[in-house]
Amino acid sequence: MRRALLAALLLAHGAQVLAAKPRSSAPTRSSADILDASAPGDWHTPPPEHTLYLETARGRTIIELAPAFAPQHVANIEALVREHYFDGLAIVRVQDNYVVQWGDPAPEDQPHKPIRQARQQLPAEFTRPLAGLPFTKLADGDVYAPQVGWSGDFPVAADPKKKQAWMVHCYGVVGAGRNNEPDSSNGAELYAVIGHAPRHLDRNMSLVGRVLWGFDALSALPRGSGTMGFYDKPEQTTPIVSVRLAADVPEDQRTALQVLRTDTPTWTAWVESRRNRREAFFVEPAGHVDLCNVPMPVRVVPQAKAHDSD
Amino acid sequence: MRRALLAALLLAHGAQVLAAKPRSSAPTRSSADILDASAPGDWHTPPPEHTLYLETARGRTIIELAPAFAPQHVANIEALVREHYFDGLAIVRVQDNYVVQWGDPAPEDQPHKPIRQARQQLPAEFTRPLAGLPFTKLADGDVYAPQVGWSGDFPVAADPKKKQAWMVHCYGVVGAGRNNEPDSSNGAELYAVIGHAPRHLDRNMSLVGRVLWGFDALSALPRGSGTMGFYDKPEQTTPIVSVRLAADVPEDQRTALQVLRTDTPTWTAWVESRRNRREAFFVEPAGHVDLCNVPMPVRVVPQAKAHDSD
C-alpha cells in the first residue's frame, strides 16, 4: 500500500522530473506521452531580465515576473532588486491554505529599510486591456470569469464586454501586498498563493508574476501563529539572503529553466491530457478541467559545459 | 506595509479566531458580521464516535469521518484505530500542491505491520446514491459537476441524471490511497489534500472525511524529494504517535470543536459573504464563489468546568 496513489500522481505536477513511460494504447495520450513527444520548440526559456531568484537557507525559489500585467509594479520590483532592497528582509507570514508573504520584518513603530532608487507609490494594476493580449482560451468554463486561459506563462481571465483581462490567483501566483487603498502597493511587500485559488482576490490586487521552481522553500514553512499567519516573534521569520534578477547572475550560477509554451498544439494536447486522464489508475476521467488545476510543465535542462570544444 | 493584505485576509479562514468587528454599513453583511450574529444552534459538535485525533510531535490534527459517503471505509478505519494500527506508523509522503499521505513506512520488500481485526479488502466507495442525502446546493455552478454544495460538514457534488453524489477533493479532504485496482484501498493508507483542489480525483477515490483542525501539523511538513513526494529516507518521515477516536479519549482531553452547520440560513448568509466580500479592503466583489473556496467555520468552545455548580 505504500505506493498507493502512485499511478494517479506520477504526473500530477509538471514541475517535477518526468519519468519515461511506455506509450499508452489508450485512445488519447497521457500527460507523460505528451511531454515525451514534445519538440524543443514547444519549450521556452523565461526572460532572465524578468526572472527573480529568491534565496533563503532552504534554497532558491524562481519567480517569473509579468510585465504584460503589471508593468509599473514589475519595473519597480526590478528596481528594488537592483538596489538589493530585499536582501536581509524576511518571510514574515505564512497562512495555511492561503499565502506566504515577505518584506520588511520591522515592527510598525520601528524604522524600516529605506527605498533608495525605486518608487514609493504606484497606481493599482488590477486589470489590463484585453486588446493586444495573446490568449489561449480554456474551453471548460469558469465559476468566476466569462473567459479563462493562459497568456505567456500566466493563468488569466478575460471579460470581453468590459474589454479587460487580469491574472488569476492560482497556486504559486505572486502579488503585491497592499493596505485598504487600492494604490497602496509598491512591490516592496509580496505574497504568493499556497492553497486553493483565492479567486475573490482577482481584480483586487496587482499580480506581478508566478513561481516557476523551488516553491517548497516557501510553501512548507511553518505557519505563523499570529493574526492571519503573521509570525509572532522576529526569530520565527525566515531571513531572505538575497533576491537577484537572473540576468544579473553569472550564467554558470543560473538555473536553466524551460517552460512549456501555452500557444502551441502541444499545450492543447497537454490540457486535454489533464482534462481526461488516460493513465491506468483512472476509472472515471473528469471530462473537464479547472484553470488552476492545469499544472505548468517546467524542466531544468542540462547546462552545456563552457569550452567543451577546447 | 507589514500589515499589507491585512483587511483582505482578516477573515479569510473560518478556522481561525474571529476578531470582533463593528457592524458594517455595507448593503450586505461581512463574514465577521455573520459569525458574530450566529446563534448557538447554528453550530454543531462533530460526532466523537466518527472523529479522529491524529497525534504527532507537531500536535493534534482532527479529522471528521464521513460514514454517509464511505461507510465501509469509515468502519474499517475506526476498526484500525481501535486496534492501534496507526500508532508508530508515519507520514510517508508530502507532495507540494497535492497531498500529504500516511501509513506504514516499511519498504515494499520488508514486513509490514499486521492488520489484526480490521478488514484487508473493501469495495470501492467512489459515489453514493443521491437519494436520501441532505444537500445544500451552491448556486454558483462548477466546472466539473452538474451540482455542488454541502452535506453535513462535507463538500459534495451531485449528478441528478445519474442519481449519484460524491465528496469533492477540496483542501483538507481525506481519502483512502489505493493501487490501480479500484477496490485496492482499505483505509490503512490515507491522504489529505494540501493544494488546489485536485478535482480529477473525484469519483476515482474513496473519500472518507475531512480535516477540521490542526492541519498545519501535516500541511507544513517538508516536501519529500522522492518520486511523487515520497520521502527518500526513513529518518525523514514524521512518526505518528497515535490515532484515536475522540469518543475513546477522556472528555477532559478532547478538543471541544464546533462546526457551522450547512443547513441553516446562517450558512446561506455565510456563503453570500464569501461570494461578495464587503470588507473595506475589497474594490471588486467577485459575485461568484467556488465550492472549495468557501471555508468551513470551525471554533473551539471553552470547556465547561466539571462540577462548577458544586
Side-chain angles (χ1 to χ4, degrees), chain A residues 232-249:
Chain A
D232 293 307
K233 296 168 189 166
E235 63 268 28
Q236 296 171 321
T237 64
T238 299
I240 294 172
V241 175
S242 66
V243 180
R244 293 287 178 276
L245 286 164
D248 295 340
V249 169

Side-chain angles (χ1 to χ4, degrees), chain A residues 1-10 12-13 16 93 95-99 101 104-106 108 126 140-144 162 171 177-180 182 184-185 189 191 196-201 203-205 215-216 219-221 223 227-228 230-231 277 280-286 288-290 292-293, chain B residues 1-10 12-13 16 93 95-99 101 104-106 108 126 140-144 162 171 177-180 182 184-185 189 191 196-201 203-205 215-216 219-221 223 227-228 230-231 277 280-286 288-290 292-293:
Chain A
M1 290 298 289
R2 176 145 186 240
R3 296 292 159 185
L5 267 175
L6 191 125
L9 308 181
L10 187 57
H13 293 279
Q16 298 183 288
R93 172 189 185 199
Q95 183 172 357
D96 198 53
N97 191 19
Y98 207 50
V99 296
Q101 191 166 327
D104 191 334
E108 290 286 321
F126 297 167
D140 301 62
D142 184 70
V143 167
Y144 289 89
K162 292 186 179 170
Y171 196 93
R178 65 169 173 88
N179 296 312
N180 276 3
S184 57
S185 64
E189 179 128 3
Y191 65 94
H196 189 78
R199 299 283 305 273
H200 54 285
L201 294 174
R203 296 182 299 156
N204 283 281
M205 307 303 294
F215 197 26
D216 62 341
S219 63
L221 286 170
R223 280 48 177 146
T227 306
M228 302 187 331
F230 278 95
Y231 291 113
R277 299 292 293 265
F281 185 87
F282 285 88
V283 180
E284 189 83 53
H288 308 274
V289 69
D290 170 28
C292 292
N293 198 24
Chain B
M1 288 300 289
R2 175 143 186 241
R3 295 292 159 185
L5 266 176
L6 191 124
L9 307 180
L10 186 57
H13 293 281
Q16 296 183 290
R93 172 192 187 196
Q95 184 173 356
D96 198 52
N97 192 18
Y98 208 49
V99 298
Q101 191 165 328
D104 192 334
E108 290 286 320
F126 297 166
D140 302 62
D142 185 69
V143 167
Y144 289 89
K162 293 186 179 169
Y171 196 93
R178 66 170 173 86
N179 297 310
N180 276 4
S184 59
S185 63
E189 179 127 3
Y191 66 93
H196 189 79
R199 297 284 305 274
H200 54 285
L201 295 174
R203 296 182 300 156
N204 283 283
M205 307 303 294
F215 196 26
D216 62 340
S219 63
L221 285 170
R223 280 50 177 146
T227 307
M228 303 187 331
F230 280 94
Y231 291 111
R277 298 293 293 266
F281 184 87
F282 285 88
V283 179
E284 190 84 51
H288 308 273
V289 69
D290 170 29
C292 291
N293 198 24

